[in-house]
Each structure stands twice: as structure tokens, then as C-alpha cells.
Amino acid sequence: MLKPIKLANKNFLSSLDSSREELLHILEIAKNFKNKDLNIEPKDKVLGLIFDKSSTRTRVSFQVAMSRLGGTTVDLNPTTSQIGRGEPIRDTARVLSRYCDVLAIRTFKQSDLEEYAKWSSKPVINALTDLEHPCQAMADFMTIKEEFADFKNVVLTFIGDGNNVANSLILCGALLGVEVRIACPKGYEPNPLVIKKAYEIHNNKNFLKISNEPDTAVLGANVLYTDVWSSMGEENQKEKKEKDFNRFTIDSNLVKKADKNAIILHCLPAYRNKEITEEVLESKKSRIFEQAENRMHVQQALLSCLLA
Ligand code: CP
Ligand code: NVA
């Protein structure tokens, strides 16, 4: 019977905190949870959620995943805890990790997340930072695996802002051997260190292509993926970004240029007729809601491994 293995790393702060084998193991465990072939009950374990930004999917999927494992969740609202009044992360982390068995944190700076991990005696999970969204990427690749069975020969084209979601797709894609193409407006390219790291993992420049041309980036692609143009915390840049991204909508013309069996992904929330048209979002090719469901299965798998 398949059992969650203990991960080599205590934390999950980045896609690179797991090895390729561990990532494949988590995807396998997630499939078993989804098919109800696995029943693990870390009874009495408590997940602490610290969210400095809004969330629907990540918050609720973590809560339900933990409850499915037989554990409970404490959802800390920074505005009603001392976090919002400026209590240092090093104090918060030392206290909360005495109460909780694992912490999932959504915040702005990756360095703040790392500060939590440094002072927490329990595992810390990245529930989204400005730099990465690794739990999202795991659910994305689970959805891709359900569709194509094998990652070999899959081309994933991301059209949009090269920030957190794109960075994690690049890193996760590199670990899993998936060709990732990013098409973004000039000035919105993914993090250079992420690109460098992906090239080191692949050792093959053809597996990662960054361009400013959506029309060529989608040619023959099996997966088209997009994300909001203005991320959380960027509300004051909305007007400028809408101008900068106006050639970067996934619409039916762009979809026609991809492989005929291509699927459409979006991490959600979606802004219709901005980064994606209503027609494409609601089309038969869309796997967006399967993808959202898979957040819960991969996080249940990740929690079971971190608590093993
Ligand atoms: N995709 C995602 O992380 O959604 P939430 O912001 O609702 O958690
Ligand atoms: N890039 C988006 C992802 C939302 C899930 C943001 O950071 O707001």
C-alpha cells in the first residue's frame, strides 16, 4: 500500500524544495486521495494558516485537505492577531509553531516566508508569495498528468505576467521535464534567478523559452495557461498593466494556433475578457475547475508527507 514518505526538506517554500522523485510521489499520493484509495489520519495535528493577502481556493482547499486527514486548522487573520500590529515574524513563528504542527503562509516577500521558516520549529508551506506559488504549480501539473498521462512531449505555454505563478510553473516544469514557454510583455519577464535555475536543472535551453510574442509561443502547445494581469498588491498599477497586456488575452484566435487537443488552465480568480475571454474560459477545452479541485488533492498529499 502506498504510504506518504517523509520529504528530505522540512519546509516547502519553493518548487525546488522537493526533488523530482518527491514531486512525482506527491502527485501519486494525490491521485490516490482523489480516488479514495488512501486513508491517512494524522489525528490531533493542527495546520496554522497565516494569510496576509486574500484567498478563496488556497485557504479553503488547505482547510478541507487538513480535515480530510483528520486534523484541524487555525485560520489566523493578521488584522485581528498581533501580526497586523507589527509583532516580529521571529516571535510569531516561535509561538505559533509551539501550537501548530505545520504552517501555511501567504505573504508578499519570499524573504518574510523564509524568516518564518527559520524561526518555526515546524514545517512551513508557501501558500503564495510575490515570487512563487508552488502549491498551485503542483495542482497544475496534476491536472496536466490527468490529461496527457505522461509529461514527455507536453508543451505548456503561459501567457501573462512572469511573476509568482509563472515562476513556479518554470521550476516545477524543469523538475518534471516539461517544455515551458512564457509569453509576456517587455518588462514583465520571470525572475532571472528562476530562469537560471531552470536552465541548470534542464541543461537544455529548448525546454524554456521566454518571449514577448503570444502568437508564436502558442504554436503547437498542449496547454495554454494564464493568470490575472494585476496581482494582489498591484491594484494601483491596474490601468498601466491593462495597457501593457492588451495583446496578451487568451481568445479563440490564439487557441486555434495551439495543438488541436490543447487544454486551457487558469489559476483563478479570472477576469473575463481581460487575460481570458469568457468563451475560452467556458469552452470544452477548459480544465480550470478540475485544476482548482486538484489544489485540495495535492495539498492533502503534501500535508501527509510533511506530517509523516
Ligand atoms: N489560485 C489561488 O491561489 O486562488 P486563491 O487566491 O483564491 O487562493
Ligand atoms: N499572480 C496572482 C495569483 C493569484 C492566485 C497574484 O499574485 O495575485
Side-chain angles (χ1 to χ4, degrees):
M1 160 122 149
L2 187 64
K3 280 177 85 167
I5 50 158
K6 193 161 175 54
L7 305 178
N9 255 321
K10 182 191 126 211
N11 302 304
F12 188 67
L13 309 185
S14 156
S15 292
L16 295 183
D17 278 349
S18 59
S19 64
R20 173 189 157 78
E21 289 67 34
E22 287 174 333
L23 200 53
L24 290 171
H25 175 71
I26 291 170
L27 295 183
E28 194 56 30
I29 296 259
K31 191 172 93 186
N32 281 268
F33 277 134
K34 192 169 189 176
N35 298 337
K36 303 195 172 32
D37 288 342
L38 205 58
N39 190 18
I40 304 230
E41 293 198 4
K43 282 222 185 315
D44 306 327
K45 300 277 183 191
V46 179
L47 164 69
L49 297 179
I50 305 171
F51 278 46
D52 288 332
K53 298 179 178 180
S54 306
S55 171
T56 298
R57 280 145 288 272
T58 310
R59 185 197 305 280
V60 179
S61 57
F62 262 119
Q63 285 171 328
V64 178
M66 197 59 189
S67 125
R68 286 181 170 213
L69 287 171
T72 52
T73 308
V74 181
D75 189 357
L76 281 155
N77 177 348
T79 58
T80 54
S81 68
Q82 302 289 2
I83 298 169
R85 294 181 60 244
E87 185 168 10
I89 290 174
R90 61 182 182 279
D91 295 354
T92 307
R94 276 180 288 183
V95 173
L96 292 182
S97 60
R98 285 168 188 252
Y99 305 148
C100 300
D101 301 287
V102 52
L103 298 173
I105 300 173
R106 170 169 286 198
T107 192
F108 294 85
K109 292 195 257 164
Q110 183 81 7
S111 58
D112 283 348
L113 179 77
E114 285 162 6
E115 175 83 354
Y116 272 108
K118 179 177 166 193
W119 292 97
S120 167
S121 55
K122 303 288 168 47
V124 172
I125 300 171
N126 182 345
L128 181 146
T129 60
D130 292 345
L131 183 67
E132 273 205 60
H133 198 0
C135 295
Q136 177 70 54
M138 283 202 302
D140 304 339
F141 283 102
M142 179 175 178
T143 314
I144 292 168
K145 201 161 188 269
E146 286 176 336
E147 199 67 32
F148 300 104
D150 193 348
F151 291 126
K152 208 164 163 257
N153 301 324
V154 170
V155 175
L156 161 61
T157 297
F158 176 93
I159 315 270
D161 197 355
N163 66 356
N164 45 17
V165 169
N167 286 333
S168 288
L169 287 173
I170 289 173
L171 293 174
C172 225
L175 286 171
L176 295 171
V178 173
E179 178 181 334
V180 176
R181 301 178 190 161
I182 308 286
C184 58
K186 279 202 170 57
Y188 294 97
E189 285 78 10
N191 182 290
L193 292 177
V194 164
I195 297 175
K196 185 169 170 272
K197 197 75 210 172
Y199 283 139
E200 279 169 22
I201 296 169
H202 274 317
N203 212 6
N204 178 350
K205 291 240 161 193
N206 290 327
F207 270 92
L208 176 61
K209 296 185 185 107
I210 317 285
S211 82
N212 310 114
E213 293 309 325
D215 288 320
T216 40
V218 297
L219 289 177
N222 309 97
V223 183
L224 301 191
Y225 193 130
T226 189
D227 179 14
V228 293
W229 289 342
S230 297
S231 286
M232 290 178 278
E234 297 181 340
E235 289 75 12
N236 59 354
Q237 298 173 39
K238 197 164 167 274
E239 222 168 295
K240 177 179 179 350
K241 289 192 96 173
E242 285 192 6
K243 275 198 201 115
D244 292 347
F245 281 80
N246 77 357
R247 284 191 306 118
F248 292 79
T249 302
I250 299 194
D251 59 15
S252 50
N253 280 333
L254 207 55
V255 172
K256 275 187 207 135
K257 296 183 179 145
D259 184 84
K260 68 175 184 352
N261 297 318
I263 60 165
I264 313 294
L265 299 182
H266 190 312
C267 56
L268 299 176
Y271 290 81
R272 284 163 166 83
N273 305 323
K274 298 287 183 197
E275 74 273 7
I276 188 166
T277 60
E278 169 88 21
E279 188 189 359
V280 172
L281 191 150
E282 299 293 353
S283 70
K284 284 209 179 78
K285 290 177 170 292
S286 166
R287 298 292 180 276
I288 293 171
F289 295 97
E290 285 79 1
Q291 179 189 8
E293 176 185 334
N294 287 338
R295 294 292 309 277
M296 180 175 67
H297 303 301
V298 289
Q299 285 158 206
Q300 190 178 346
L302 176 66
L303 286 167
S304 71
C305 292
L306 290 174
L307 292 168

PDB file of all heavy atoms in Angstrom, residues 2 18 29 41 50 86 114 119 122 135 165 193 205 208 216 227 237 241 244 248 287:
ATOM      1  N   LEU A   2       0.518   2.204  -0.817  1.00  0.00           N
ATOM      2  CA  LEU A   2       1.285   3.450  -0.949  1.00  0.00           C
ATOM      3  C   LEU A   2       1.226   4.251   0.346  1.00  0.00           C
ATOM      4  O   LEU A   2       0.152   4.462   0.895  1.00  0.00           O
ATOM      5  CB  LEU A   2       0.673   4.262  -2.093  1.00  0.00           C
ATOM      6  CG  LEU A   2       1.415   5.518  -2.516  1.00  0.00           C
ATOM      7  CD1 LEU A   2       2.786   5.186  -3.078  1.00  0.00           C
ATOM      8  CD2 LEU A   2       0.584   6.276  -3.541  1.00  0.00           C
ATOM      9  N   SER A  18      11.408  20.304  -3.294  1.00  0.00           N
ATOM     10  CA  SER A  18      11.215  18.859  -3.450  1.00  0.00           C
ATOM     11  C   SER A  18      12.064  18.405  -4.626  1.00  0.00           C
ATOM     12  O   SER A  18      12.378  19.199  -5.524  1.00  0.00           O
ATOM     13  CB  SER A  18       9.745  18.550  -3.699  1.00  0.00           C
ATOM     14  OG  SER A  18       9.317  19.212  -4.858  1.00  0.00           O
ATOM     15  N   ILE A  29       0.368  10.221  -4.615  1.00  0.00           N
ATOM     16  CA  ILE A  29      -0.437  10.199  -3.377  1.00  0.00           C
ATOM     17  C   ILE A  29      -1.728  10.983  -3.612  1.00  0.00           C
ATOM     18  O   ILE A  29      -2.813  10.554  -3.212  1.00  0.00           O
ATOM     19  CB  ILE A  29       0.348  10.854  -2.210  1.00  0.00           C
ATOM     20  CG1 ILE A  29       1.595  10.053  -1.897  1.00  0.00           C
ATOM     21  CG2 ILE A  29      -0.523  11.067  -0.992  1.00  0.00           C
ATOM     22  CD1 ILE A  29       1.517   9.155  -0.714  1.00  0.00           C
ATOM     23  N   GLU A  41      -4.680   9.400   8.726  1.00  0.00           N
ATOM     24  CA  GLU A  41      -5.311  10.260   9.725  1.00  0.00           C
ATOM     25  C   GLU A  41      -4.310  10.795  10.737  1.00  0.00           C
ATOM     26  O   GLU A  41      -4.133  10.225  11.800  1.00  0.00           O
ATOM     27  CB  GLU A  41      -6.421   9.484  10.438  1.00  0.00           C
ATOM     28  CG  GLU A  41      -7.565   9.161   9.503  1.00  0.00           C
ATOM     29  CD  GLU A  41      -8.825   8.803  10.258  1.00  0.00           C
ATOM     30  OE1 GLU A  41      -8.831   8.883  11.493  1.00  0.00           O
ATOM     31  OE2 GLU A  41      -9.794   8.449   9.573  1.00  0.00           O
ATOM     32  N   ILE A  50      -1.629  31.496   7.898  1.00  0.00           N
ATOM     33  CA  ILE A  50      -1.368  32.933   8.076  1.00  0.00           C
ATOM     34  C   ILE A  50      -1.442  33.562   6.690  1.00  0.00           C
ATOM     35  O   ILE A  50      -0.572  33.327   5.850  1.00  0.00           O
ATOM     36  CB  ILE A  50       0.027  33.181   8.684  1.00  0.00           C
ATOM     37  CG1 ILE A  50       0.176  32.414   9.997  1.00  0.00           C
ATOM     38  CG2 ILE A  50       0.259  34.684   8.896  1.00  0.00           C
ATOM     39  CD1 ILE A  50       1.578  32.428  10.548  1.00  0.00           C
ATOM     40  N   GLY A  86       2.391  44.452  13.903  1.00  0.00           N
ATOM     41  CA  GLY A  86       3.840  44.531  13.741  1.00  0.00           C
ATOM     42  C   GLY A  86       4.662  43.627  14.651  1.00  0.00           C
ATOM     43  O   GLY A  86       5.880  43.817  14.767  1.00  0.00           O
ATOM     44  N   GLU A 114      10.739  32.996   4.320  1.00  0.00           N
ATOM     45  CA  GLU A 114      11.958  32.316   4.763  1.00  0.00           C
ATOM     46  C   GLU A 114      12.259  32.627   6.230  1.00  0.00           C
ATOM     47  O   GLU A 114      12.754  31.775   6.968  1.00  0.00           O
ATOM     48  CB  GLU A 114      13.135  32.689   3.851  1.00  0.00           C
ATOM     49  CG  GLU A 114      13.025  31.961   2.520  1.00  0.00           C
ATOM     50  CD  GLU A 114      13.867  32.548   1.401  1.00  0.00           C
ATOM     51  OE1 GLU A 114      14.646  33.485   1.660  1.00  0.00           O
ATOM     52  OE2 GLU A 114      13.723  32.066   0.260  1.00  0.00           O
ATOM     53  N   TRP A 119      12.509  30.526  11.925  1.00  0.00           N
ATOM     54  CA  TRP A 119      12.197  30.555  13.355  1.00  0.00           C
ATOM     55  C   TRP A 119      11.145  29.533  13.771  1.00  0.00           C
ATOM     56  O   TRP A 119      10.934  29.313  14.971  1.00  0.00           O
ATOM     57  CB  TRP A 119      11.745  31.972  13.758  1.00  0.00           C
ATOM     58  CG  TRP A 119      12.874  32.941  13.667  1.00  0.00           C
ATOM     59  CD1 TRP A 119      13.150  33.780  12.634  1.00  0.00           C
ATOM     60  CD2 TRP A 119      13.922  33.141  14.630  1.00  0.00           C
ATOM     61  NE1 TRP A 119      14.297  34.502  12.877  1.00  0.00           N
ATOM     62  CE2 TRP A 119      14.788  34.117  14.104  1.00  0.00           C
ATOM     63  CE3 TRP A 119      14.220  32.573  15.880  1.00  0.00           C
ATOM     64  CZ2 TRP A 119      15.919  34.562  14.782  1.00  0.00           C
ATOM     65  CZ3 TRP A 119      15.340  33.022  16.560  1.00  0.00           C
ATOM     66  CH2 TRP A 119      16.181  33.998  16.010  1.00  0.00           C
ATOM     67  N   LYS A 122       8.335  23.953  13.169  1.00  0.00           N
ATOM     68  CA  LYS A 122       7.504  23.018  12.379  1.00  0.00           C
ATOM     69  C   LYS A 122       7.574  23.398  10.889  1.00  0.00           C
ATOM     70  O   LYS A 122       7.944  24.523  10.554  1.00  0.00           O
ATOM     71  CB  LYS A 122       6.050  23.095  12.863  1.00  0.00           C
ATOM     72  CG  LYS A 122       5.857  22.815  14.337  1.00  0.00           C
ATOM     73  CD  LYS A 122       6.060  21.347  14.688  1.00  0.00           C
ATOM     74  CE  LYS A 122       6.157  21.098  16.183  1.00  0.00           C
ATOM     75  NZ  LYS A 122       5.148  21.729  16.992  1.00  0.00           N
ATOM     76  N   CYS A 135       2.344  25.463  -4.561  1.00  0.00           N
ATOM     77  CA  CYS A 135       1.204  24.534  -4.397  1.00  0.00           C
ATOM     78  C   CYS A 135       0.306  24.594  -5.632  1.00  0.00           C
ATOM     79  O   CYS A 135      -0.234  23.584  -6.079  1.00  0.00           O
ATOM     80  CB  CYS A 135       0.395  24.871  -3.146  1.00  0.00           C
ATOM     81  SG  CYS A 135       1.338  24.632  -1.633  1.00  0.00           S
ATOM     82  N   VAL A 165       3.098  32.785 -10.291  1.00  0.00           N
ATOM     83  CA  VAL A 165       2.572  31.557 -10.896  1.00  0.00           C
ATOM     84  C   VAL A 165       3.515  31.091 -12.013  1.00  0.00           C
ATOM     85  O   VAL A 165       3.896  29.913 -12.070  1.00  0.00           O
ATOM     86  CB  VAL A 165       1.126  31.786 -11.406  1.00  0.00           C
ATOM     87  CG1 VAL A 165       0.651  30.637 -12.271  1.00  0.00           C
ATOM     88  CG2 VAL A 165       0.188  31.986 -10.210  1.00  0.00           C
ATOM     89  N   LEU A 193      16.686  34.733 -11.622  1.00  0.00           N
ATOM     90  CA  LEU A 193      17.286  33.612 -10.874  1.00  0.00           C
ATOM     91  C   LEU A 193      16.498  32.322 -11.091  1.00  0.00           C
ATOM     92  O   LEU A 193      17.061  31.222 -11.114  1.00  0.00           O
ATOM     93  CB  LEU A 193      17.344  33.930  -9.365  1.00  0.00           C
ATOM     94  CG  LEU A 193      18.306  35.038  -8.962  1.00  0.00           C
ATOM     95  CD1 LEU A 193      18.221  35.315  -7.467  1.00  0.00           C
ATOM     96  CD2 LEU A 193      19.740  34.671  -9.360  1.00  0.00           C
ATOM     97  N   LYS A 205      18.490  24.302 -23.299  1.00  0.00           N
ATOM     98  CA  LYS A 205      17.851  25.619 -23.464  1.00  0.00           C
ATOM     99  C   LYS A 205      16.490  25.519 -24.150  1.00  0.00           C
ATOM    100  O   LYS A 205      15.650  26.393 -24.029  1.00  0.00           O
ATOM    101  CB  LYS A 205      18.768  26.556 -24.258  1.00  0.00           C
ATOM    102  CG  LYS A 205      20.008  26.943 -23.480  1.00  0.00           C
ATOM    103  CD  LYS A 205      20.098  28.447 -23.285  1.00  0.00           C
ATOM    104  CE  LYS A 205      21.064  28.756 -22.141  1.00  0.00           C
ATOM    105  NZ  LYS A 205      21.092  30.039 -21.618  1.00  0.00           N
ATOM    106  N   LEU A 208      12.941  25.790 -22.084  1.00  0.00           N
ATOM    107  CA  LEU A 208      12.365  27.013 -21.526  1.00  0.00           C
ATOM    108  C   LEU A 208      12.577  28.149 -22.519  1.00  0.00           C
ATOM    109  O   LEU A 208      13.712  28.458 -22.884  1.00  0.00           O
ATOM    110  CB  LEU A 208      13.035  27.349 -20.176  1.00  0.00           C
ATOM    111  CG  LEU A 208      12.572  28.676 -19.545  1.00  0.00           C
ATOM    112  CD1 LEU A 208      11.080  28.665 -19.254  1.00  0.00           C
ATOM    113  CD2 LEU A 208      13.344  28.938 -18.251  1.00  0.00           C
ATOM    114  N   THR A 216       3.449  33.242 -31.516  1.00  0.00           N
ATOM    115  CA  THR A 216       4.398  32.160 -31.813  1.00  0.00           C
ATOM    116  C   THR A 216       4.545  31.216 -30.615  1.00  0.00           C
ATOM    117  O   THR A 216       4.719  30.013 -30.799  1.00  0.00           O
ATOM    118  CB  THR A 216       5.776  32.713 -32.226  1.00  0.00           C
ATOM    119  OG1 THR A 216       6.074  33.845 -31.399  1.00  0.00           O
ATOM    120  CG2 THR A 216       5.822  33.131 -33.661  1.00  0.00           C
ATOM    121  N   ASP A 227      -2.968  33.915 -16.070  1.00  0.00           N
ATOM    122  CA  ASP A 227      -3.153  34.374 -14.683  1.00  0.00           C
ATOM    123  C   ASP A 227      -3.617  35.837 -14.774  1.00  0.00           C
ATOM    124  O   ASP A 227      -3.495  36.469 -15.834  1.00  0.00           O
ATOM    125  CB  ASP A 227      -1.787  34.254 -13.968  1.00  0.00           C
ATOM    126  CG  ASP A 227      -1.805  34.713 -12.515  1.00  0.00           C
ATOM    127  OD1 ASP A 227      -2.898  34.884 -11.938  1.00  0.00           O
ATOM    128  OD2 ASP A 227      -0.697  34.901 -11.949  1.00  0.00           O
ATOM    129  N   GLN A 237      -1.574  49.560 -10.044  1.00  0.00           N
ATOM    130  CA  GLN A 237      -0.948  49.520 -11.386  1.00  0.00           C
ATOM    131  C   GLN A 237      -1.925  49.031 -12.449  1.00  0.00           C
ATOM    132  O   GLN A 237      -1.532  48.777 -13.592  1.00  0.00           O
ATOM    133  CB  GLN A 237       0.239  48.556 -11.372  1.00  0.00           C
ATOM    134  CG  GLN A 237       1.343  48.938 -10.427  1.00  0.00           C
ATOM    135  CD  GLN A 237       2.392  47.830 -10.360  1.00  0.00           C
ATOM    136  OE1 GLN A 237       2.738  47.210 -11.351  1.00  0.00           O
ATOM    137  NE2 GLN A 237       2.886  47.575  -9.157  1.00  0.00           N
ATOM    138  N   LYS A 241      -1.135  48.290 -16.390  1.00  0.00           N
ATOM    139  CA  LYS A 241      -0.973  46.886 -16.783  1.00  0.00           C
ATOM    140  C   LYS A 241      -1.981  46.494 -17.854  1.00  0.00           C
ATOM    141  O   LYS A 241      -1.664  45.737 -18.770  1.00  0.00           O
ATOM    142  CB  LYS A 241      -1.042  45.964 -15.562  1.00  0.00           C
ATOM    143  CG  LYS A 241       0.199  46.106 -14.675  1.00  0.00           C
ATOM    144  CD  LYS A 241       0.318  45.046 -13.625  1.00  0.00           C
ATOM    145  CE  LYS A 241       1.211  43.910 -14.063  1.00  0.00           C
ATOM    146  NZ  LYS A 241       1.471  42.949 -12.995  1.00  0.00           N
ATOM    147  N   ASP A 244      -0.419  47.594 -21.001  1.00  0.00           N
ATOM    148  CA  ASP A 244       0.774  46.808 -21.356  1.00  0.00           C
ATOM    149  C   ASP A 244       0.415  45.386 -21.827  1.00  0.00           C
ATOM    150  O   ASP A 244       1.143  44.779 -22.605  1.00  0.00           O
ATOM    151  CB  ASP A 244       1.712  46.698 -20.140  1.00  0.00           C
ATOM    152  CG  ASP A 244       2.321  48.049 -19.784  1.00  0.00           C
ATOM    153  OD1 ASP A 244       2.224  48.986 -20.601  1.00  0.00           O
ATOM    154  OD2 ASP A 244       2.889  48.173 -18.671  1.00  0.00           O
ATOM    155  N   PHE A 248      -2.237  40.279 -24.894  1.00  0.00           N
ATOM    156  CA  PHE A 248      -1.946  39.024 -24.195  1.00  0.00           C
ATOM    157  C   PHE A 248      -3.194  38.336 -23.631  1.00  0.00           C
ATOM    158  O   PHE A 248      -3.134  37.668 -22.611  1.00  0.00           O
ATOM    159  CB  PHE A 248      -0.898  39.277 -23.096  1.00  0.00           C
ATOM    160  CG  PHE A 248       0.445  39.619 -23.671  1.00  0.00           C
ATOM    161  CD1 PHE A 248       0.714  40.897 -24.146  1.00  0.00           C
ATOM    162  CD2 PHE A 248       1.418  38.640 -23.793  1.00  0.00           C
ATOM    163  CE1 PHE A 248       1.948  41.206 -24.719  1.00  0.00           C
ATOM    164  CE2 PHE A 248       2.651  38.940 -24.352  1.00  0.00           C
ATOM    165  CZ  PHE A 248       2.916  40.226 -24.818  1.00  0.00           C
ATOM    166  N   ARG A 287      -9.970  23.202 -18.439  1.00  0.00           N
ATOM    167  CA  ARG A 287      -9.870  22.256 -17.306  1.00  0.00           C
ATOM    168  C   ARG A 287      -9.691  23.062 -16.018  1.00  0.00           C
ATOM    169  O   ARG A 287      -9.125  22.596 -15.039  1.00  0.00           O
ATOM    170  CB  ARG A 287      -8.668  21.317 -17.483  1.00  0.00           C
ATOM    171  CG  ARG A 287      -8.740  20.432 -18.704  1.00  0.00           C
ATOM    172  CD  ARG A 287      -9.850  19.363 -18.613  1.00  0.00           C
ATOM    173  NE  ARG A 287      -9.864  18.548 -19.818  1.00  0.00           N
ATOM    174  CZ  ARG A 287     -10.490  18.893 -20.948  1.00  0.00           C
ATOM    175  NH1 ARG A 287     -11.174  20.036 -21.015  1.00  0.00           N
ATOM    176  NH2 ARG A 287     -10.452  18.111 -22.012  1.00  0.00           N
TER     177      ARG A 287
END
